[in-house]
Amino acid sequence: MKKRSVAGLAAAAAAVALTALAAPVSGEGPQAGPDLSDYVMTFSADFDKEPPPPNATFLTYYTSWGGLRTLAANGERQIYVDRGYEVDGRPVDVDPFSIEDGVLSITAEPSDDIVEQLTGHAYTSGLITTEGSFAQQFGYFEMRARFPAGRGLWPAFWLVADTQREHLEIDVVEVLGHQPRRTYHSASANRRPGGVHDYAMGVDTSAGMHVYGAEWSPEEIVYYVDGRETLRARNFHDVPMYLIANLAVGGEWPGDPDRSTRFPAVMQIDYIRAYQKRDRLLARGD
């Protein structure tokens, strides 16, 4: 979810040639998925209850990097809100989260005049994160979700380093709403050489639930969509990371919504899970 300028995309594309070990970017091939026989589940959010309040196990708003509720450097147009969010003591009174039949919905929609005046943002949306409650170094991370289609919509599932010293990020999946059949996968670090940013063609991310995963080891990161390997890259991340899932609106990379974009736009999440190698848990004494 970092800023994607035209120059940045060109640099990322060049980095792919240096760091990707193999990068199948079509929808063809077997759908075996990673071998999880040596893994233990370490985190699971199945959304069988009402959304938790802020500071619960799965936070409902973005708190990193100075308490930001949007990433202005990306040119994003939304503000991430929750049921209790207030501006100068005035409630925004917008709740983007709902749960039905074990599925979490995150809804993005245009702000009404009062909310836009309060927040200064043209859209409201939601973000969930395990920052402060769960982080893990290496393992397999997976989300089953359905993304909305439409220009200017930017859903994502990503990992962020549990450190303020530098920015380390693994984007398990990002989708631009006007390209629902492209799943973008990337890894980046602002103070380290290398980086990868590529996409796979295949599933329609807006047509039903699909499973997006990344297996992160000391040597490499392998990305999957519905069990099919879509990208393999050299790893250069070595600290624990927490999880984020969000629905952004607008920005320099996806562009702003236009007349064809339908609101409310809904990102649906069936589950989010994390697994760790059994030998790593035993070595740590867990």
Side-chain angles (χ1 to χ4, degrees):
M1 289 294 294
K2 63 183 180 294
K3 184 176 180 180
R4 309 284 191 191
S5 65
V6 173
L9 285 174
V16 169
L18 297 176
T19 64
L21 304 180
V25 292
S26 73
E28 303 301 322
Q31 299 187 43
D35 181 4
L36 298 181
S37 59
D38 291 332
Y39 280 90
V40 175
M41 186 182 295
T42 52
F43 176 86
S44 178
D46 292 310
F47 307 111
D48 56 354
K49 299 179 181 179
E50 284 299 306
N55 302 318
T57 301
F58 221 73
L59 300 182
T60 59
Y61 61 94
Y62 193 68
T63 60
S64 182
W65 300 322
L68 299 176
R69 287 179 175 264
T70 191
L71 291 180
N74 288 347
E76 296 172 19
R77 302 290 305 282
Q78 88 294 323
I79 183 171
Y80 295 120
V81 299
D82 57 76
R83 70 182 74 176
Y85 181 54
E86 297 182 348
V87 178
D88 296 331
R90 297 180 62 182
V92 172
D93 198 26
V94 174
D95 187 354
F97 305 103
S98 62
I99 287 179
E100 184 175 355
D101 297 329
V103 174
L104 172 69
S105 292
I106 300 178
T107 300
E109 56 189 342
S111 303
D112 63 30
D113 291 343
I114 295 177
V115 171
E116 185 168 5
Q117 182 178 4
L118 279 174
T119 66
H121 292 81
Y123 301 89
T124 58
S125 189
L127 179 151
I128 52 178
T129 174
T130 63
E131 183 184 10
S133 62
F134 174 81
Q136 181 172 294
Q137 183 176 353
F138 308 129
Y140 177 66
F141 305 85
E142 181 178 86
M143 177 177 72
R144 184 172 187 261
R146 179 177 185 174
F147 299 143
R151 183 166 295 278
L153 302 178
W154 185 7
F157 173 43
W158 43 310
L159 315 180
V160 177
D162 191 21
T163 175
Q164 295 296 322
R165 295 187 302 274
E166 59 180 328
H167 179 62
L168 303 176
E169 181 178 326
I170 297 174
D171 297 300
V172 180
V173 62
E174 296 178 277
V175 171
L176 305 182
H178 64 286
Q179 299 172 334
R181 290 188 177 275
R182 289 189 180 190
T183 53
Y184 287 88
H185 314 287
S186 61
S188 58
N190 62 339
R191 296 183 182 178
R192 305 183 186 191
V196 61
H197 178 72
D198 208 340
Y199 67 87
M201 295 293 294
V203 302
D204 184 344
T205 61
S206 66
M209 293 280 182
H210 295 281
V211 178
Y212 308 96
E215 188 175 20
W216 170 32
S217 70
E219 296 76 29
E220 63 184 2
I221 305 169
V222 185
Y223 300 84
Y224 298 90
V225 175
D226 286 341
R228 180 185 292 116
E229 182 181 323
T230 52
L231 182 68
R232 185 177 292 248
R234 177 179 62 85
N235 173 57
F236 49 89
H237 298 71
D238 55 5
V239 295
M241 292 188 169
Y242 56 89
L243 318 180
I244 297 175
N246 65 293
L247 175 54
V249 181
E252 294 181 8
W253 188 31
D256 286 345
D258 59 21
R259 293 180 180 179
S260 69
T261 310
R262 295 184 178 182
F263 288 102
V266 180
M267 173 181 178
Q268 295 179 309
I269 303 174
D270 183 20
Y271 63 76
I272 296 177
R273 296 171 183 165
Y275 300 80
Q276 182 61 280
K277 285 276 191 179
R278 186 174 283 104
D279 57 357
R280 288 189 62 84
L281 292 175
L282 291 174
R284 286 165 33 197
D286 293 349

